[in-house]
């Protein structure tokens, strides 16, 4: 991790497909300069959503104009339900109608939904265009914009359609996080805490002591984003296609994704980071029930997530939840399932997570029935 023009630089080392992550304030203002220098002559199409358009699109377009970067703009609805085939198909058709070529670039300006959707589009149009991520949420900056996972949702589950397609550049402008709602910022923080819980107990301890500075926008915020990106970059460089330990980055996500599917991706009820927060607690509670995780570690995690305002229990999700069979079906469709065998990220305590492919359906079902009060 180094400094580059007043920004923190984290490299994702993937040989000839390596790329930089730049982290700092006001980076959108120099986005045109960065894109033109790294992708000289490329035309671009900016994909953003209706919410981000009002907040940040003008600044990005002005930056592109100043740097002489040719661009078009496509706008999609905000929210998780945008990650569906109909919108993916429309974006592909629109980009082909613009006559953009393989060497041109799709630029994602938005949170995880826009990034996942745009990355999938860029990965398949003309069998792969260049891709630039400009994440505008904490969750996207520390997680979904890094690593090349792209995709959309299916009625069978979350992110089940997609490709691995690495970006050429990630610009994490931490100043745009000031425009997030408290709920969205908290949701992103769940992914920050995840990096401590996976394999870095010192970072989790640092978060316990410094989370208020992160939320207040102090220097702690940029440190947390950079540390998270560096942690993810190291995992991605070692296991790009998630054939091994990259699956650790899904701590809490198997449970979390099933919760999102159970509410039909209605973000009024549950957003992704909230599902991850509950899911990480469930992963530790399930590990505790299996005799793996100390109870005091689970309590410590719950205490911290509750302190920042995140949900930690299934009964905090508003509205009616479906029967247990629905949850089991959603979990059975999880991307990590291998030859029909459930794959879970379990833990022996804070910072000691591991991949377990021996979990059977019976104890899992009993655990979920208990948590769902069924």
């Amino acid at each position: 991790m180094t400094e580059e023009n007043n920004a923190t630089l984290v490299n994702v080392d993937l040989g000839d497909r390596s790329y930089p992550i730049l982290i700092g304030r006001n980076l959108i203002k120099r986005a045109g300069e960065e894109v033109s220098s790294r992708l000289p002559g490329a035309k671009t199409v900016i994909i953003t959503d209706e919410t981000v358009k009002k907040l940040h699109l003008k600044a990005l377009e002005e930056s592109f104009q100043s740097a002489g970067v040719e661009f078009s703009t496509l706008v999609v609805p905000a929210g998780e339900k945008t990650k569906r085939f109909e919108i993916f198909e429309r974006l592909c058709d629109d980009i082909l109608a613009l006559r953009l070529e393989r060497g041109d670039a799709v630029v994602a300006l938005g949170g995880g939904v826009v990034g996942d959707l745009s990355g999938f589009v860029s990965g398949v149009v003309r069998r792969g265009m260049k891709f630039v991520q400009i994440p505008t949420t904490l969750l996207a900056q520390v997680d979904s914009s890094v690593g090349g996972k792209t995709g959309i949702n299916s009625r069978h589950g979350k992110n089940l359609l997609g490709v691995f397609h690495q970006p050429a550049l990630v610009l994490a402008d931490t100043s745009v996080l000031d425009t997030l709602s408290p709920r969205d910022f908290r949701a992103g923080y769940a992914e920050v805490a995840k990096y401590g819980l996976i394999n870095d107990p010192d970072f989790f301890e640092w978060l316990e002591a410094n989370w208020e500075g992160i939320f207040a926008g102090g220097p702690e915020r940029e440190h947390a984003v950079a540390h998270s990106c560096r942690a993810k970059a190291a995992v991605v460089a070692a296991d790009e296609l998630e054939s091994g330990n990259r699956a650790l980055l899904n701590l809490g996500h198997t449970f979390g994704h099933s919760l999102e599917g159970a509410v039909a991706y209605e973000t009024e009820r549950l957003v992704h980071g909230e599902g991850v927060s509950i899911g990480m607690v469930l992963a530790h509670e399930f590990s505790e029930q299996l005799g793996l995780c100390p109870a005091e570690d689970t309590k410590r995690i719950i205490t911290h997530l509750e302190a920042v305002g995140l949900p930690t229990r299934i009964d905090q999700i508003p509205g009616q939840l479906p029967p247990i069979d629905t949850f089991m079906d959603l979990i059975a469709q999880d991307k990590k399932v291998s030859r029909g065998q459930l794959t879970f990220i379990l833990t022996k305590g804070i910072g000691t997570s591991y991949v377990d492919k021996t979990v059977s359906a019976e104890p899992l079902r009993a655990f979920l029935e208990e948590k769902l009060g069924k």
Side-chain angles (χ1 to χ4, degrees):
M1 189 166 65
T2 59
E3 294 293 321
E4 182 176 291
N5 298 328
N6 298 317
T8 300
L9 171 65
V10 175
N11 279 306
V12 182
D13 186 6
L14 291 170
D16 60 0
R17 291 175 298 104
S18 298
Y19 55 92
I21 308 166
L22 293 178
I23 304 156
R25 297 187 70 84
N26 301 312
L27 290 183
I28 286 179
K29 292 182 179 179
R30 59 186 247 208
E33 171 191 337
E34 295 291 343
V35 170
S36 63
S37 66
R38 298 174 194 277
L39 300 173
K43 298 178 182 178
T44 64
V45 57
I46 300 166
I47 299 178
T48 192
D49 67 32
E50 292 166 348
T51 300
V52 177
K53 173 187 175 182
K54 299 171 187 174
L55 295 168
H56 307 300
L57 179 59
K58 182 179 179 182
L60 180 59
E61 290 180 337
E62 289 176 348
S63 176
F64 278 14
Q65 287 169 344
S66 297
V69 176
E70 187 174 335
F71 67 90
S72 303
T73 302
L74 300 174
V75 181
V76 298
E80 187 70 29
K81 290 186 176 181
T82 294
K83 283 173 57 175
R84 65 181 191 269
F85 189 79
E86 295 85 352
I87 291 180
F88 165 78
E89 182 181 27
R90 174 168 65 82
L91 289 173
C92 291
D93 283 343
D94 288 347
I95 291 172
L96 290 171
L98 291 168
R99 298 187 180 277
L100 295 183
E101 301 173 359
R102 184 178 293 177
D104 294 328
V106 174
V107 179
L109 176 68
V113 169
V114 168
D116 287 354
L117 175 64
S118 303
F120 189 19
V121 169
S122 69
V124 300
V125 171
R126 301 196 185 279
R127 296 193 176 95
M129 297 175 62
K130 302 297 184 182
F131 181 41
V132 174
Q133 285 265 28
I134 306 180
T136 60
T137 65
L138 179 60
L139 188 150
Q141 290 188 4
V142 302
D143 186 65
S144 61
S145 68
V146 180
K149 275 188 173 182
T150 74
I152 57 176
N153 302 330
S154 159
R155 64 185 178 86
H156 297 288
K158 182 162 177 166
N159 295 333
L160 294 179
L161 304 170
V163 295
F164 286 92
H165 184 57
Q166 300 292 345
L169 170 68
V170 179
L171 293 176
D173 185 337
T174 54
S175 65
V176 306
L177 302 182
D178 297 336
T179 64
L180 291 180
S181 69
R183 184 189 184 194
D184 285 336
F185 194 92
R186 287 194 300 268
Y189 182 83
E191 295 282 6
V192 176
K194 176 189 74 176
Y195 291 105
L197 297 177
I198 291 171
N199 62 1
D200 195 343
D202 291 341
F203 183 52
F204 186 76
E205 185 176 350
W206 183 86
L207 291 173
E208 290 176 304
N210 292 279
W211 69 268
E212 290 176 302
I214 298 171
F215 277 67
E220 298 90 348
R221 177 182 292 180
E222 193 163 313
H223 173 78
V225 172
H227 187 98
S228 300
C229 287
R230 181 171 53 183
K232 183 159 189 181
V235 173
V236 170
D239 181 19
E240 180 183 2
L241 301 182
E242 199 176 82
S243 58
N245 277 346
R246 182 171 175 175
L248 290 172
L249 295 171
N250 288 299
L251 174 65
H253 285 59
T254 298
F255 287 117
H257 286 168
S258 71
L259 293 171
E260 288 184 88
V263 301
Y265 307 109
E266 292 178 3
T267 53
E268 299 82 5
R269 297 176 64 189
L270 188 76
V271 295
H272 175 67
E274 293 167 343
V276 169
S277 177
I278 298 171
M280 290 191 300
V281 172
L282 290 173
H284 283 80
E285 289 178 331
F286 188 45
S287 298
E288 181 184 329
Q289 193 170 96
L290 295 173
L292 299 167
C293 178
E296 55 267 27
D297 279 21
T298 305
K299 291 175 184 174
R300 184 176 157 197
I301 294 163
I302 292 171
T303 297
H304 180 59
L305 295 176
E306 288 180 343
V308 305
L310 281 164
T312 59
R313 304 187 316 274
I314 292 177
D315 63 15
Q316 290 175 282
I317 301 172
Q320 184 89 17
L321 291 174
I324 187 73
D325 287 343
T326 299
F327 284 93
M328 295 301 292
D329 287 344
L330 288 165
I331 289 171
Q333 284 280 10
D334 184 83
K335 300 183 300 301
K336 297 183 295 302
V337 169
S338 177
R339 300 192 185 279
Q341 177 63 53
L342 300 177
T343 300
F344 269 82
I345 312 306
L346 300 181
T347 179
K348 297 178 182 179
I350 292 171
T352 54
S353 298
Y354 70 100
V355 180
D356 193 310
K357 296 186 178 183
T358 67
V359 175
S360 59
E362 292 77 13
L364 174 63
R365 187 183 187 96
F367 171 75
L368 284 174
E369 285 176 341
E370 175 191 337
K371 294 301 172 181
L372 289 163
K374 303 286 185 182

